[in-house]
Structures are given as structure tokens and as C-alpha cells.
């Protein structure tokens, strides 16, 4: 089911009853779109979340923050928002896992692509 929610200045779409075999569940969708999956166990939802070639971001909605943190640590995504979304700051690294990119924008991690590390080893006698 397609639902619309107007949040100035964007219209956000969320899709309920999404299943693993749907294209929207497998591919990286850019835009204000949220897919809502049904699940029975934590293990099942973690497997569902990681069953993709991509891993830019994920959203967890939960009343139990400790449980949400545990799940967030097991999800293969560069950013996991808990009970919020779209929070960005220049100090917070942003980037994806898997096919969702390499490296990070923002934060001190964004400088890594501009650095070359060299190791020089010499035996001490």
C-alpha cells in the first residue's frame, strides 16, 4: 500500500507490507521513501535488512532504544537512524556499505581519500 505524508517542504512516501522479493526492497531508492517490513523476530528483520547489495541507510522505529541499538549494530548500513531520519551534521560521517559507495562524506573520515599513508620499516641493530 502506498501512503503519502506531507512534511514541508517534501511529500514523503512510505510503502507498507513490503516483501523481500519486491524491487523496492532490493534496490537503492533515492527520495523521501520508506519501506515498512513485517517481521516476527529480531534475527528475521536483521536478515531482511542485510539481504541487499546496498547499505546506504536504515531507519529503526522502536519504543525499546536498547533493542534498537542492538539491531542497529548488526545492520550493514553506513547510517542507521533510530526514531528519526534525515539528521545530518558536518561532523557526522555519511556514506554507505557494500555497493552504496566507498569512503565517507563529512566528518574527519571524509579526509581519508585525500591522504596517502606510507609505512617505512628499517631493522634496528
Amino acid at each position: 500500500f502506498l501512503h503519502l505524508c506531507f512534511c514541508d517542504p517534501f511529500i514523503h512516501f512510505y510503502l507498507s507490507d513490503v516483501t523481500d522479493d519486491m524491487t523496492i526492497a532490493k534496490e537503492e531508492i533515492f527520495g523521501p521513501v520508506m519501506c515498512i517490513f513485517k517481521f516476527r523476530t529480531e534475527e528475521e528483520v536483521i536478515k531482511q535488512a542485510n539481504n541487499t547489495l546496498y547499505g546506504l541507510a536504515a531507519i529503526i522505529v522502536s519504543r525499546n532504544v536498547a533493542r534498537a541499538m542492538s539491531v542497529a549494530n548488526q545492520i550493514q548500513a553506513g547510517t542507521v537512524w533510530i526514531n528519526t531520519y534525515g539528521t545530518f551534521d558536518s561532523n557526522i560521517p555519511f556514506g554507505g556499505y557494500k555497493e552504496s559507495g566507498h569512503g565517507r562524506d563529512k566528518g574527519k573520515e571524509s579526509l581519508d581519500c585525500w591522504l596517502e599513508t606510507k609505512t617505512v620499516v628499517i631493522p634496528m641493530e
Side-chain angles (χ1 to χ4, degrees), residues 6-24:
F6 182 78
C7 299
D8 190 37
F10 298 107
I11 295 176
H12 300 269
F13 296 91
Y14 65 96
L15 299 147
S16 58
D17 300 320
V18 175
T19 59
D20 290 340
D21 59 332
M22 293 177 159
T23 301
I24 197 159

